Amino acid sequence: MPMTLMERCLIIATVILGTMITRFLPFIIFPADRPVPVFVHYLGKMLPSSALGLLVIYSMKDVNLLAPDHGIPEILSVLVVALLHIWRRNMLISIAGGTVLYMLMVQLMFQSIT
């Protein structure tokens, strides 16, 4: 069933409102003339590492070590990401290198095993 013009306008207005709230709310809550609370500084330090840890756990949760490939593409890709990051200290290079290696292994080397 197609949406009416009013429904489209309401959806667009809701998206605009949500975007504006997320853009302006931090400046309203933490104005420039007041110091940022210690808890917010703590979150700024801890959340990036926590998010990356969560992504690693999420991406490795379905790896089956008893499958024919024994999780080799996933484990090697994680190792490449870690080694690239230790070597270059560049998150973009680390993530791109691990992703490219994983995709090449899955598409070219391990496609006939599974």
Side-chain angles (χ1 to χ4, degrees):
M1 175 188 300
M3 288 191 288
T4 65
L5 179 62
M6 184 61 155
E7 289 172 332
R8 290 185 214 165
C9 290
L10 284 173
I11 289 175
I12 292 171
T14 305
V15 170
I16 290 171
L17 180 66
T19 302
M20 300 309 282
I21 286 173
T22 57
R23 298 285 192 251
F24 295 131
L25 195 59
F27 296 103
I28 294 169
I29 295 174
F30 306 114
D33 58 342
R34 286 191 340 202
V36 178
V38 176
F39 183 68
V40 175
H41 281 291
Y42 173 76
L43 288 177
K45 280 185 168 182
M46 298 316 234
L47 283 180
S49 301
S50 301
L52 287 176
L54 183 69
L55 287 173
V56 169
I57 291 170
Y58 179 76
S59 63
M60 298 297 283
K61 71 177 174 58
D62 291 327
V63 174
N64 184 0
L65 298 177
L66 301 176
D69 64 1
H70 302 292
I72 293 170
E74 293 85 358
I75 294 168
L76 285 178
S77 297
V78 167
L79 288 174
V80 165
V81 168
L83 291 173
L84 281 173
H85 191 69
I86 290 169
W87 176 48
R88 300 298 295 179
R89 296 280 180 208
N90 186 321
M91 195 172 293
L92 181 62
I93 291 173
S94 305
I95 293 171
T99 302
V100 168
L101 177 68
Y102 177 77
M103 295 310 285
L104 286 173
M105 284 192 290
V106 170
Q107 295 296 321
L108 301 175
M109 297 169 58
F110 292 99
Q111 68 181 2
S112 61
I113 293 176
T114 55

